[in-house]
Amino acid sequence: MTNGSIAEKKEKKSFKSKLENFWYYYKWHTLGALVVLLAVGVGLSQCIGRVDIDVVVYYLSADSISYAEDKTNLKKALEPYVRDYTGDGQVRIEIENYFIGENHDADMVKDNLRNFSNMYTAGSVMLIMVDDAGLKQMTEVGYFGDISDLTDEPLLYDGTVWNAEGSAFKNSESLKYWTTPMYWGVRVFNEKSLISISKTKGEEYKFAREVLSNIINDNKIK
């Protein structure tokens, strides 16, 4: 065996030993770094592909919106009342539907209620639409905030709920096939609300009230 071959074997063995030694002492550090890099990569990809939404309507109802066309028509009915909040040149509206009717699996209903409550607590829920089942749930837990300053029209539940029945919004062409009752409101937001310390959440809340005021008063901005 030549001196060169012996040196090459020693070098390979030395590298392997160093690698094994590194892995022994820094295995968890390395895995942790990989997890962080993966999370950053996913986050960046989501940010790059993210579409900014101007307003999200949280719809709590007995049954889910069955047809995509119904959701599309609801968005079309809302569009004239929503300005470009994000400033990107387009108005984008999202509908988040949580169904809680007794005809559905009890565990699924519990999950939907829990998820809605979590979103509410986290400050994502601002503008709210409900049917009769959703109205019962929302008023029982006191999730609607005061909107009495938005209109001179009679409101339900101490000035917290607006019934859209008979309104220009409900009678719009886009909603001519919408048959379920439709009630609107905004979340509770005051100095006791944990999310009130966030300037961003405060601005989102004001915008939700602005949109609801436009709907109630038929103030179309385009």
Side-chain angles (χ1 to χ4, degrees), residues 167-219:
S167 67
F169 172 73
K170 182 64 167 58
N171 291 333
S172 64
E173 180 67 19
S174 297
L175 295 178
K176 63 182 179 180
Y177 297 118
W178 193 281
T179 59
T180 56
M182 183 184 288
Y183 307 93
W184 288 81
V186 295
R187 66 168 296 127
V188 174
F189 192 96
N190 52 39
E191 65 279 358
K192 294 181 181 180
S193 303
L194 183 61
I195 61 171
S196 64
I197 62 175
S198 168
K199 181 181 178 182
T200 301
K201 291 302 177 185
E203 291 172 349
E204 291 176 5
Y205 172 71
K206 289 179 181 178
F207 183 63
R209 285 172 55 85
E210 175 189 315
V211 172
L212 183 54
S213 177
N214 289 342
I215 295 171
I216 294 174
N217 298 297
D218 195 30
N219 178 30

Side-chain angles (χ1 to χ4, degrees), residues 76-91:
K76 284 182 180 179
L78 288 166
E79 281 176 0
Y81 303 97
V82 181
R83 64 179 171 86
D84 178 17
Y85 179 72
T86 61
D88 64 355
Q90 295 187 56
V91 172

Side-chain angles (χ1 to χ4, degrees), residues 120 126-130 134-151 153-164 182-190 205 209 212 216:
Y120 187 101
M126 294 293 175
L127 184 60
I128 307 163
M129 186 179 88
V130 297
L135 180 65
K136 183 176 184 295
Q137 175 66 29
M138 290 289 291
T139 52
E140 282 181 353
V141 295
Y143 273 176
F144 278 125
D146 181 62
I147 57 171
S148 58
D149 60 327
L150 300 184
T151 179
E153 288 186 29
L155 297 170
L156 306 175
Y157 297 95
D158 297 323
T160 63
V161 178
W162 176 66
N163 185 356
M182 183 184 288
Y183 307 93
W184 288 81
V186 295
R187 66 168 296 127
V188 174
F189 192 96
N190 52 39
Y205 172 71
R209 285 172 55 85
L212 183 54
I216 294 174

Side-chain angles (χ1 to χ4, degrees), residues 30-45:
T30 304
L31 290 175
L34 290 173
V35 170
V36 171
L37 287 173
L38 180 61
V40 170
V42 172
L44 286 173
S45 65

Side-chain angles (χ1 to χ4, degrees), residues 101-117:
E102 295 178 353
N103 294 330
H104 299 287
D105 178 74
D107 289 335
M108 185 177 293
V109 169
K110 286 181 181 178
D111 286 342
N112 283 341
L113 284 172
R114 181 171 59 251
N115 291 336
F116 179 85
S117 179

